[in-house]
Amino acid sequence: MSELTIKNLHVNIDEKPILNGVNLVVPQGEVHAIMGPNGTGKSTLANTLLGYPSYTVTQGEVFFKGANLLDLSTDERSRMGLFLAFQYPVSIPGVTVANFLRTALNARRKQENPDEKGIPIPEFRKLLKSKMDELKIDSSFAGRYLNEGFSGGEKKRVEVLQMAVLEPEIAILDEIDSGLDIDALRIVADGVNLLREKQNLGVLVITHYQRLLNYIKPDVVHVMMDGKIVESGGPELAVHLEEHGYEWVREKVEEESF
Ligand code: ADP
Ligand code: MG
C-alpha cells in the first residue's frame, strides 16, 4: 500500500520562507484535511507537491512509492499515481474527453510497465463506459471536446472521471470548493467518496472552510499555521475550528513554545 510521506519540508518563494518544516503522512484509503487561515502556506504545500517551478525547496523530502517526489517532474508524479486537481482546468479543442483519458491512461500504464503496448480501443471503451456508469455520467460526455464550453460542474465531472480511469493512489485537492456551487461540490465529493471506497484512494484535501468536510469526511484534520502543521485531530477538530476560529490554536502553540 502506498503513502505520501512529507518530511521536514521547507519551501521558499523568492527567498522568503513560506513552509517551515511540514511533516505529514497520507496513507492510501485515508482522507486527510488541512485547514488553516489564509496566507498560511496551504496552497504552497499543494503547489510544491504538484511541482510548480516557482517554489524552492530548501530542506526536506517527500516520499512516494520509494522515490523522492521532489526529484521528479509534474508529469512523472502524475504517472506514478499522484492526482493533482487543477483549479483552472485547461480546455483542449479537437481532443475528446475519451481520447484525452485514453492517452493519460496509456502514459500511466507505461510508467508501471515499460512493455505496455497501450490499451486497445474497444477495451478502453468498455472500461470508460463502466466508470461513467458508476459515476452516473451521461455517455454523450465521452465524445465532447475536453472542457470546451463545459460548466464548472462538468469540468469537475471530467476530473472525477479522470481519477476513476487513472486510479491514482493519492489525490491532492486544493480549495476545490472555491467557486463551486453546491451541486458541483456534491459531484466531486460523491466521486471522491466512491473512489475511496472502490479504489482505496487516499486524499489530501485542503480547505479554508469546514463546509467541504461535510461532504468529504476526513479521518484526520490538520491545522496549518505559519507554514507548519501545529495541531492534528479527528473530524471534530474541523467542527471546533468552524465554531471557534483559529486564534485558540495560535495561542496554544505560543504557550507550548514558551
Ligand atoms: P494559503 O493557501 O494558506 O492561503 P498560500 O500558500 O497561498 O497560503 O500563501 C502563503 C504565503 O506565501 C502568503 O504570504 C502569500 O502571500 C505568499 N505567496 C504565495 N504565492 C506567492 C507567489 N507566487 N509569490 C509571492 N508570494 C507568494
Ligand atoms: Mg490557498
Side-chain angles (χ1 to χ4, degrees):
M1 200 164 67
S2 315
E3 58 185 29
L4 182 70
T5 305
I6 303 170
K7 280 197 170 151
N8 192 30
L9 187 65
H10 290 251
V11 172
N12 285 4
I13 302 177
D14 302 335
E15 319 265 297
K16 187 175 150 212
I18 307 289
L19 297 186
N20 302 304
V22 174
N23 290 292
L24 181 68
V25 180
V26 182
Q28 239 187 302
E30 290 186 10
V31 175
H32 286 238
I34 295 186
M35 301 183 72
N38 277 325
T40 208
K42 301 185 299 299
S43 293
T44 301
L45 175 63
N47 293 342
T48 303
L49 296 175
L50 263 68
Y52 277 26
S54 49
Y55 300 82
T56 313
V57 176
T58 57
Q59 241 191 92
E61 281 127 6
V62 180
F63 293 108
F64 183 59
K65 294 188 173 176
N68 187 351
L69 210 69
L70 302 171
D71 296 335
L72 306 174
S73 69
T74 298
D75 229 37
E76 288 168 318
R77 295 177 197 200
S78 109
R79 291 201 299 264
M80 274 180 75
L82 200 62
F83 184 85
L84 317 156
F86 291 97
Q87 198 152 16
Y88 306 103
V90 289
S91 47
I92 315 184
V95 173
T96 61
V97 169
N99 272 333
F100 167 74
L101 292 175
R102 190 164 57 89
T103 305
L105 178 63
N106 282 336
R108 171 129 161 78
R109 289 192 171 181
K110 212 170 168 59
Q111 177 82 25
E112 311 256 290
N113 172 14
D115 296 332
E116 169 74 39
K117 294 283 177 290
I119 184 169
I121 290 177
E123 195 186 314
F124 176 73
R125 284 215 180 105
K126 242 201 256 164
L127 174 87
L128 187 59
K129 171 94 174 58
S130 76
K131 300 287 182 185
M132 291 175 86
D133 288 350
E134 251 170 48
L135 294 165
K136 301 192 185 66
I137 296 175
D138 191 85
S139 59
S140 66
F141 210 69
R144 290 178 61 187
Y145 290 145
L146 185 68
N147 288 331
E148 262 228 314
F150 281 21
S151 69
E154 287 172 331
K155 284 181 185 170
K156 288 295 150 188
R157 273 184 202 276
V158 175
E159 233 166 40
V160 172
L161 183 59
Q162 196 182 341
M163 274 196 254
V165 169
L166 296 185
E167 303 196 355
E169 278 91 1
I170 306 281
I172 298 167
L173 313 172
D174 183 18
E175 303 268 357
I176 48 165
D177 42 344
S178 67
L180 280 195
D181 61 26
I182 214 79
D183 290 337
L185 196 57
R186 268 181 204 280
I187 293 168
V188 188
D190 289 351
V192 168
N193 292 332
L194 185 77
L195 298 183
R196 182 188 177 187
E197 216 169 280
K198 296 204 67 155
Q199 298 173 7
N200 203 27
L201 179 70
V203 185
L204 180 60
V205 53
I206 298 176
T207 181
H208 183 64
Y209 300 106
Q210 196 253 341
R211 181 181 78 155
L212 178 66
L213 306 181
N214 292 330
Y215 300 95
I216 300 176
K217 298 240 180 279
D219 299 291
V220 186
V221 175
H222 308 275
V223 183
M224 186 182 268
M225 256 186 199
D226 304 328
K228 259 185 166 170
I229 287 171
V230 294
E231 184 86 13
S232 300
E236 72 286 348
L237 181 56
V239 180
H240 190 81
L241 287 165
E242 186 75 358
E243 282 170 17
H244 301 278
Y246 289 104
E247 243 356 85
W248 66 272
V249 186
R250 192 181 295 283
E251 281 162 21
K252 189 175 165 200
V253 171
E254 279 167 9
E255 250 169 52
E256 279 167 3
S257 64
F258 195 58

